[in-house]
Amino acid sequence: MTNLLWPKIKNEWDVNDLCRQGFWLCLMIAVLQLIAAVIVPDAWMRVAAVLSALVFVVGALGVREANWPAATLLFTLYALTLGDDVVNGRTPNILHILAGLILLSNVRAAFLASRWQPIAEGDIRPLRPATKFRDRLVNQVPPKWWPRLRIAFFGVAALLVLFTFLDFAISLHERTATLADPSTAQP
């Protein structure tokens, strides 16, 4: 559990494992966002959930490639979404909080991994096997697609973070205004 929430990097295999772990977490969050898009009745919320899922899928590629700004944007987006839920009276469960903590640890892991000095030329490097579909997905797709999608990712993710922050700020302002003036509270 310590390595999950406070990862240490001792060698290139640790870098590989941590980035792979972050990739899978981001994909799981994307799947949950898509499920939310199906369940949510509001059309704008559906669009936001699908857009968020796409951001988490492409961001997963960046996390796998040890891109700490991508990991930071994903954590920020997730934290703002959780904060907005709390302000609107939806209490996050332990899985939401654990996912947020793991996303935060992914920021640290990606930062450490991005600064990791690779091993010498003659040394054995961790392999990125491509025998099974899941191996190809986590090992072969990110280095191929992240360089092509990263500019679009940062643009869309930054806009999504901005809109999520604005929604959070508006919800927080409305909530505090309601608490400050009980006569405006709705029954």
Side-chain angles (χ1 to χ4, degrees), residues 57-73:
V57 167
V58 177
L61 303 175
V63 169
R64 178 65 175 114
E65 293 301 302
N67 187 288
W68 67 266
T72 302
L73 269 174

Side-chain angles (χ1 to χ4, degrees), residues 71-84:
T72 302
L73 269 174
L74 293 177
F75 169 72
T76 303
L77 178 60
Y78 192 83
L80 284 171
T81 303
L82 277 183
D84 191 45

Side-chain angles (χ1 to χ4, degrees), residues 26-99:
C26 292
L27 282 187
M28 286 190 296
I29 291 171
V31 167
L32 293 175
Q33 290 286 352
L34 288 175
I35 291 170
V38 171
I39 296 171
V40 170
D42 183 25
W44 287 110
M45 292 298 287
R46 274 193 206 129
V47 170
V50 169
L51 190 59
S52 180
L54 289 172
V55 164
F56 269 92
V57 167
V58 177
L61 303 175
V63 169
R64 178 65 175 114
E65 293 301 302
N67 187 288
W68 67 266
T72 302
L73 269 174
L74 293 177
F75 169 72
T76 303
L77 178 60
Y78 192 83
L80 284 171
T81 303
L82 277 183
D84 191 45
D85 286 348
V86 169
V87 167
N88 287 311
R90 296 181 296 272
T91 306
N93 63 33
I94 191 70
L95 292 176
H96 291 115
I97 294 168
L98 186 60

Side-chain angles (χ1 to χ4, degrees), residues 118-183:
I119 54 182
E121 273 304 311
D123 293 340
I124 299 172
R125 295 179 177 266
L127 296 175
R128 284 192 169 195
T131 54
K132 299 177 184 172
F133 173 75
R134 131 184 119 206
D135 292 334
R136 284 190 300 274
L137 181 64
V138 75
N139 293 326
Q140 305 301 312
V141 172
K144 182 178 181 179
W145 286 98
W146 175 245
R148 296 175 183 173
L149 297 174
R150 71 177 174 211
I151 292 173
F153 164 79
F154 284 114
V156 173
L159 285 174
L160 194 55
V161 165
L162 176 66
F163 290 134
T164 305
F165 175 76
L166 290 174
D167 184 46
F168 171 74
I170 291 168
S171 296
L172 185 61
H173 176 71
E174 290 173 352
R175 179 79 171 167
T176 55
T178 301
L179 292 174
D181 187 9
S183 65

